Amino acid sequence: MSTSEEASALGFAAPDDQPVGYMARTRAYYLALGYDNPYVWAHYRNVPFTPLAKPLADTRLTLITTAAPYQPDKGPQGPSAPYNAAAKFYQVYSGDTTQEHDLRIAHVGIDRRHTSMEDSRSWFPLAALRQAVAEGRVGALAARFHGAPTNRSQRHTLEVDAPEILRRCQEDGVEAALLVANCPICHQSLSLVARTLEAAGIATVLLACAKDIPEYLGVPRLLFSDFPLGNAAGKPHDPESQRLTLALALRLLESAPGPRTTLQSPLIWADDPDWKLDYANAERLPAEELERLRAENERARLIAREQRLATV
């Protein structure tokens, strides 16, 4: 019996059935595209932590997202849309939690091969939070939710975006926050925001589909769902998955014993873990495809630069 056959007979999972290492994967990917200056991820030894000051049923909570409001004049942003740098946003925005909102994630590096971007409840659980309030699970929703820019500049996130989100949360009397990440840089940006809020006395929980980035950076509470990027609030078109994901996040908000507490959702995306090998995997791409992607990345970089300069 071969080693793989013996492992299978013992009921072991496939070797690749483990969380994707997004930091290593994206480093190799951009090196393959010809960029020889690997991105340096934020990394902390100490992590701020704020326990809930009162029962969750008496707590005012807000939602923080990296999804972008739909802009009809900015090109494709709907289901299966390609990466669209023109649809990005570069300043914190806020929205009324009593209203409906069309937020999309075509601007971020999500997993476009294994998810369709059809169900916004997979990345923007506002309706589920309203239901949690109606059921008495959460005391109240703050008047506003907030959009955090997906910013590669850690300094800008720490010195501009995170303090602005904190200011708005304090204006609204926020006591806890649910943060939902999408792309790899989203995970870093929201991890930095979570640390800022916790240091100011606001308890947080980060919902994520990347495990390595928030844990390397250092966050107070992390709910990890082993799903393709773009589904941190639950499987698309699966209300039970979305309900359970929010329930786990709220439970973690209440029960985490201290910083760096990670809870992994028991939900499984697919029986075959092969999907984990596709995202930004240069080894699975022919040379001509890598060349096309490099040209596409350069176009997107220039568009993003123009957009960013226009907001300064």
Side-chain angles (χ1 to χ4, degrees), residues 280-301:
N281 190 344
E283 295 181 358
R284 291 196 164 193
L285 297 172
E288 59 272 18
E289 178 66 4
L290 284 172
E291 186 60 32
R292 184 192 69 79
L293 289 169
R294 176 176 171 79
E296 181 181 282
N297 188 78
E298 280 298 300
R299 286 193 298 271
R301 186 181 65 81

PDB file of all heavy atoms in Angstrom, residues 280-301:
ATOM      1  N   ALA A 280      -4.286  32.911  -7.616  1.00  0.00           N
ATOM      2  CA  ALA A 280      -2.965  33.537  -7.775  1.00  0.00           C
ATOM      3  C   ALA A 280      -1.835  32.508  -7.757  1.00  0.00           C
ATOM      4  O   ALA A 280      -0.784  32.729  -7.149  1.00  0.00           O
ATOM      5  CB  ALA A 280      -2.746  34.588  -6.688  1.00  0.00           C
ATOM      6  N   ASN A 281      -2.050  31.396  -8.440  1.00  0.00           N
ATOM      7  CA  ASN A 281      -1.059  30.323  -8.442  1.00  0.00           C
ATOM      8  C   ASN A 281      -0.331  30.317  -9.777  1.00  0.00           C
ATOM      9  O   ASN A 281      -0.835  29.809 -10.777  1.00  0.00           O
ATOM     10  CB  ASN A 281      -1.732  28.978  -8.188  1.00  0.00           C
ATOM     11  CG  ASN A 281      -0.716  27.871  -7.928  1.00  0.00           C
ATOM     12  OD1 ASN A 281       0.471  28.019  -8.214  1.00  0.00           O
ATOM     13  ND2 ASN A 281      -1.178  26.763  -7.375  1.00  0.00           N
ATOM     14  N   ALA A 282       0.864  30.907  -9.800  1.00  0.00           N
ATOM     15  CA  ALA A 282       1.624  31.027 -11.044  1.00  0.00           C
ATOM     16  C   ALA A 282       1.981  29.666 -11.634  1.00  0.00           C
ATOM     17  O   ALA A 282       2.135  29.537 -12.847  1.00  0.00           O
ATOM     18  CB  ALA A 282       2.895  31.827 -10.785  1.00  0.00           C
ATOM     19  N   GLU A 283       2.084  28.649 -10.780  1.00  0.00           N
ATOM     20  CA  GLU A 283       2.446  27.325 -11.266  1.00  0.00           C
ATOM     21  C   GLU A 283       1.351  26.709 -12.131  1.00  0.00           C
ATOM     22  O   GLU A 283       1.612  25.778 -12.890  1.00  0.00           O
ATOM     23  CB  GLU A 283       2.745  26.401 -10.086  1.00  0.00           C
ATOM     24  CG  GLU A 283       3.970  26.827  -9.281  1.00  0.00           C
ATOM     25  CD  GLU A 283       4.252  25.888  -8.138  1.00  0.00           C
ATOM     26  OE1 GLU A 283       3.473  24.929  -7.957  1.00  0.00           O
ATOM     27  OE2 GLU A 283       5.251  26.102  -7.415  1.00  0.00           O
ATOM     28  N   ARG A 284       0.141  27.217 -12.047  1.00  0.00           N
ATOM     29  CA  ARG A 284      -0.971  26.697 -12.841  1.00  0.00           C
ATOM     30  C   ARG A 284      -1.263  27.559 -14.069  1.00  0.00           C
ATOM     31  O   ARG A 284      -2.274  27.348 -14.741  1.00  0.00           O
ATOM     32  CB  ARG A 284      -2.222  26.570 -11.981  1.00  0.00           C
ATOM     33  CG  ARG A 284      -2.136  25.479 -10.941  1.00  0.00           C
ATOM     34  CD  ARG A 284      -3.497  25.114 -10.381  1.00  0.00           C
ATOM     35  NE  ARG A 284      -3.451  23.844  -9.670  1.00  0.00           N
ATOM     36  CZ  ARG A 284      -4.533  23.153  -9.294  1.00  0.00           C
ATOM     37  NH1 ARG A 284      -5.741  23.610  -9.572  1.00  0.00           N
ATOM     38  NH2 ARG A 284      -4.395  22.006  -8.663  1.00  0.00           N
ATOM     39  N   LEU A 285      -0.403  28.537 -14.354  1.00  0.00           N
ATOM     40  CA  LEU A 285      -0.649  29.449 -15.460  1.00  0.00           C
ATOM     41  C   LEU A 285       0.452  29.340 -16.514  1.00  0.00           C
ATOM     42  O   LEU A 285       1.640  29.362 -16.169  1.00  0.00           O
ATOM     43  CB  LEU A 285      -0.712  30.888 -14.944  1.00  0.00           C
ATOM     44  CG  LEU A 285      -1.841  31.207 -13.958  1.00  0.00           C
ATOM     45  CD1 LEU A 285      -1.653  32.591 -13.382  1.00  0.00           C
ATOM     46  CD2 LEU A 285      -3.198  31.079 -14.629  1.00  0.00           C
ATOM     47  N   PRO A 286       0.081  29.263 -17.804  1.00  0.00           N
ATOM     48  CA  PRO A 286       1.100  29.262 -18.859  1.00  0.00           C
ATOM     49  C   PRO A 286       1.739  30.633 -18.994  1.00  0.00           C
ATOM     50  O   PRO A 286       1.195  31.645 -18.534  1.00  0.00           O
ATOM     51  CB  PRO A 286       0.288  28.900 -20.114  1.00  0.00           C
ATOM     52  CG  PRO A 286      -1.119  29.296 -19.796  1.00  0.00           C
ATOM     53  CD  PRO A 286      -1.284  29.099 -18.325  1.00  0.00           C
ATOM     54  N   ALA A 287       2.890  30.670 -19.656  1.00  0.00           N
ATOM     55  CA  ALA A 287       3.663  31.909 -19.763  1.00  0.00           C
ATOM     56  C   ALA A 287       2.868  33.020 -20.427  1.00  0.00           C
ATOM     57  O   ALA A 287       2.934  34.192 -20.001  1.00  0.00           O
ATOM     58  CB  ALA A 287       4.957  31.641 -20.535  1.00  0.00           C
ATOM     59  N   GLU A 288       2.108  32.698 -21.476  1.00  0.00           N
ATOM     60  CA  GLU A 288       1.354  33.735 -22.175  1.00  0.00           C
ATOM     61  C   GLU A 288       0.254  34.330 -21.291  1.00  0.00           C
ATOM     62  O   GLU A 288      -0.068  35.520 -21.381  1.00  0.00           O
ATOM     63  CB  GLU A 288       0.747  33.195 -23.472  1.00  0.00           C
ATOM     64  CG  GLU A 288      -0.198  32.016 -23.327  1.00  0.00           C
ATOM     65  CD  GLU A 288       0.517  30.675 -23.367  1.00  0.00           C
ATOM     66  OE1 GLU A 288       1.754  30.648 -23.175  1.00  0.00           O
ATOM     67  OE2 GLU A 288      -0.166  29.666 -23.629  1.00  0.00           O
ATOM     68  N   GLU A 289      -0.314  33.520 -20.413  1.00  0.00           N
ATOM     69  CA  GLU A 289      -1.326  34.018 -19.495  1.00  0.00           C
ATOM     70  C   GLU A 289      -0.693  34.929 -18.446  1.00  0.00           C
ATOM     71  O   GLU A 289      -1.274  35.956 -18.066  1.00  0.00           O
ATOM     72  CB  GLU A 289      -2.046  32.856 -18.819  1.00  0.00           C
ATOM     73  CG  GLU A 289      -3.101  33.251 -17.798  1.00  0.00           C
ATOM     74  CD  GLU A 289      -4.298  33.978 -18.383  1.00  0.00           C
ATOM     75  OE1 GLU A 289      -4.365  34.128 -19.622  1.00  0.00           O
ATOM     76  OE2 GLU A 289      -5.171  34.391 -17.589  1.00  0.00           O
ATOM     77  N   LEU A 290       0.484  34.584 -17.980  1.00  0.00           N
ATOM     78  CA  LEU A 290       1.190  35.443 -17.031  1.00  0.00           C
ATOM     79  C   LEU A 290       1.503  36.798 -17.655  1.00  0.00           C
ATOM     80  O   LEU A 290       1.386  37.842 -16.996  1.00  0.00           O
ATOM     81  CB  LEU A 290       2.480  34.771 -16.562  1.00  0.00           C
ATOM     82  CG  LEU A 290       2.339  33.639 -15.541  1.00  0.00           C
ATOM     83  CD1 LEU A 290       3.675  32.957 -15.326  1.00  0.00           C
ATOM     84  CD2 LEU A 290       1.809  34.180 -14.210  1.00  0.00           C
ATOM     85  N   GLU A 291       1.880  36.797 -18.932  1.00  0.00           N
ATOM     86  CA  GLU A 291       2.180  38.044 -19.621  1.00  0.00           C
ATOM     87  C   GLU A 291       0.918  38.896 -19.757  1.00  0.00           C
ATOM     88  O   GLU A 291       0.945  40.113 -19.568  1.00  0.00           O
ATOM     89  CB  GLU A 291       2.771  37.767 -21.000  1.00  0.00           C
ATOM     90  CG  GLU A 291       3.259  39.000 -21.741  1.00  0.00           C
ATOM     91  CD  GLU A 291       4.355  39.745 -20.996  1.00  0.00           C
ATOM     92  OE1 GLU A 291       5.145  39.096 -20.295  1.00  0.00           O
ATOM     93  OE2 GLU A 291       4.413  40.997 -21.123  1.00  0.00           O
ATOM     94  N   ARG A 292      -0.204  38.261 -20.082  1.00  0.00           N
ATOM     95  CA  ARG A 292      -1.473  38.984 -20.186  1.00  0.00           C
ATOM     96  C   ARG A 292      -1.861  39.581 -18.834  1.00  0.00           C
ATOM     97  O   ARG A 292      -2.297  40.737 -18.756  1.00  0.00           O
ATOM     98  CB  ARG A 292      -2.577  38.055 -20.683  1.00  0.00           C
ATOM     99  CG  ARG A 292      -3.918  38.753 -20.920  1.00  0.00           C
ATOM    100  CD  ARG A 292      -5.037  37.760 -21.137  1.00  0.00           C
ATOM    101  NE  ARG A 292      -5.370  37.016 -19.921  1.00  0.00           N
ATOM    102  CZ  ARG A 292      -6.116  37.515 -18.930  1.00  0.00           C
ATOM    103  NH1 ARG A 292      -6.592  38.746 -19.000  1.00  0.00           N
ATOM    104  NH2 ARG A 292      -6.374  36.784 -17.865  1.00  0.00           N
ATOM    105  N   LEU A 293      -1.677  38.813 -17.778  1.00  0.00           N
ATOM    106  CA  LEU A 293      -2.037  39.281 -16.446  1.00  0.00           C
ATOM    107  C   LEU A 293      -1.139  40.424 -15.992  1.00  0.00           C
ATOM    108  O   LEU A 293      -1.598  41.335 -15.308  1.00  0.00           O
ATOM    109  CB  LEU A 293      -1.966  38.117 -15.448  1.00  0.00           C
ATOM    110  CG  LEU A 293      -3.066  37.063 -15.602  1.00  0.00           C
ATOM    111  CD1 LEU A 293      -2.749  35.837 -14.760  1.00  0.00           C
ATOM    112  CD2 LEU A 293      -4.426  37.643 -15.202  1.00  0.00           C
ATOM    113  N   ARG A 294       0.128  40.376 -16.384  1.00  0.00           N
ATOM    114  CA  ARG A 294       1.022  41.485 -16.019  1.00  0.00           C
ATOM    115  C   ARG A 294       0.561  42.772 -16.687  1.00  0.00           C
ATOM    116  O   ARG A 294       0.509  43.830 -16.049  1.00  0.00           O
ATOM    117  CB  ARG A 294       2.457  41.172 -16.415  1.00  0.00           C
ATOM    118  CG  ARG A 294       3.398  42.344 -16.130  1.00  0.00           C
ATOM    119  CD  ARG A 294       4.856  42.014 -16.432  1.00  0.00           C
ATOM    120  NE  ARG A 294       5.675  43.205 -16.343  1.00  0.00           N
ATOM    121  CZ  ARG A 294       6.115  43.750 -15.215  1.00  0.00           C
ATOM    122  NH1 ARG A 294       5.796  43.196 -14.062  1.00  0.00           N
ATOM    123  NH2 ARG A 294       6.851  44.825 -15.229  1.00  0.00           N
ATOM    124  N   ALA A 295       0.199  42.698 -17.974  1.00  0.00           N
ATOM    125  CA  ALA A 295      -0.276  43.884 -18.685  1.00  0.00           C
ATOM    126  C   ALA A 295      -1.573  44.397 -18.065  1.00  0.00           C
ATOM    127  O   ALA A 295      -1.766  45.604 -17.895  1.00  0.00           O
ATOM    128  CB  ALA A 295      -0.481  43.547 -20.163  1.00  0.00           C
ATOM    129  N   GLU A 296      -2.449  43.474 -17.706  1.00  0.00           N
ATOM    130  CA  GLU A 296      -3.714  43.847 -17.068  1.00  0.00           C
ATOM    131  C   GLU A 296      -3.464  44.512 -15.722  1.00  0.00           C
ATOM    132  O   GLU A 296      -4.114  45.501 -15.358  1.00  0.00           O
ATOM    133  CB  GLU A 296      -4.582  42.600 -16.900  1.00  0.00           C
ATOM    134  CG  GLU A 296      -5.932  42.840 -16.282  1.00  0.00           C
ATOM    135  CD  GLU A 296      -6.710  41.547 -16.139  1.00  0.00           C
ATOM    136  OE1 GLU A 296      -7.257  41.078 -17.165  1.00  0.00           O
ATOM    137  OE2 GLU A 296      -6.763  40.990 -15.028  1.00  0.00           O
ATOM    138  N   ASN A 297      -2.520  43.969 -14.963  1.00  0.00           N
ATOM    139  CA  ASN A 297      -2.193  44.534 -13.655  1.00  0.00           C
ATOM    140  C   ASN A 297      -1.628  45.937 -13.779  1.00  0.00           C
ATOM    141  O   ASN A 297      -1.942  46.829 -12.977  1.00  0.00           O
ATOM    142  CB  ASN A 297      -1.203  43.620 -12.942  1.00  0.00           C
ATOM    143  CG  ASN A 297      -0.951  44.035 -11.511  1.00  0.00           C
ATOM    144  OD1 ASN A 297      -1.759  43.775 -10.626  1.00  0.00           O
ATOM    145  ND2 ASN A 297       0.178  44.693 -11.277  1.00  0.00           N
ATOM    146  N   GLU A 298      -0.800  46.162 -14.804  1.00  0.00           N
ATOM    147  CA  GLU A 298      -0.220  47.489 -15.010  1.00  0.00           C
ATOM    148  C   GLU A 298      -1.302  48.492 -15.374  1.00  0.00           C
ATOM    149  O   GLU A 298      -1.293  49.640 -14.901  1.00  0.00           O
ATOM    150  CB  GLU A 298       0.846  47.433 -16.111  1.00  0.00           C
ATOM    151  CG  GLU A 298       2.187  46.899 -15.640  1.00  0.00           C
ATOM    152  CD  GLU A 298       2.778  47.793 -14.567  1.00  0.00           C
ATOM    153  OE1 GLU A 298       3.027  48.988 -14.820  1.00  0.00           O
ATOM    154  OE2 GLU A 298       2.979  47.304 -13.444  1.00  0.00           O
ATOM    155  N   ARG A 299      -2.261  48.088 -16.225  1.00  0.00           N
ATOM    156  CA  ARG A 299      -3.363  48.988 -16.567  1.00  0.00           C
ATOM    157  C   ARG A 299      -4.165  49.346 -15.316  1.00  0.00           C
ATOM    158  O   ARG A 299      -4.511  50.509 -15.099  1.00  0.00           O
ATOM    159  CB  ARG A 299      -4.276  48.341 -17.614  1.00  0.00           C
ATOM    160  CG  ARG A 299      -3.688  48.289 -19.011  1.00  0.00           C
ATOM    161  CD  ARG A 299      -4.745  47.944 -20.026  1.00  0.00           C
ATOM    162  NE  ARG A 299      -5.332  46.633 -19.795  1.00  0.00           N
ATOM    163  CZ  ARG A 299      -4.858  45.497 -20.300  1.00  0.00           C
ATOM    164  NH1 ARG A 299      -3.766  45.520 -21.060  1.00  0.00           N
ATOM    165  NH2 ARG A 299      -5.452  44.348 -20.068  1.00  0.00           N
ATOM    166  N   ALA A 300      -4.457  48.336 -14.510  1.00  0.00           N
ATOM    167  CA  ALA A 300      -5.228  48.573 -13.287  1.00  0.00           C
ATOM    168  C   ALA A 300      -4.459  49.464 -12.325  1.00  0.00           C
ATOM    169  O   ALA A 300      -5.047  50.329 -11.657  1.00  0.00           O
ATOM    170  CB  ALA A 300      -5.569  47.241 -12.627  1.00  0.00           C
ATOM    171  N   ARG A 301      -3.144  49.280 -12.247  1.00  0.00           N
ATOM    172  CA  ARG A 301      -2.326  50.089 -11.345  1.00  0.00           C
ATOM    173  C   ARG A 301      -2.376  51.560 -11.744  1.00  0.00           C
ATOM    174  O   ARG A 301      -2.487  52.448 -10.884  1.00  0.00           O
ATOM    175  CB  ARG A 301      -0.889  49.591 -11.350  1.00  0.00           C
ATOM    176  CG  ARG A 301       0.020  50.279 -10.345  1.00  0.00           C
ATOM    177  CD  ARG A 301       1.440  49.750 -10.435  1.00  0.00           C
ATOM    178  NE  ARG A 301       2.051  50.066 -11.714  1.00  0.00           N
ATOM    179  CZ  ARG A 301       2.595  51.258 -11.995  1.00  0.00           C
ATOM    180  NH1 ARG A 301       2.601  52.233 -11.096  1.00  0.00           N
ATOM    181  NH2 ARG A 301       3.123  51.475 -13.181  1.00  0.00           N
TER     182      ARG A 301
END
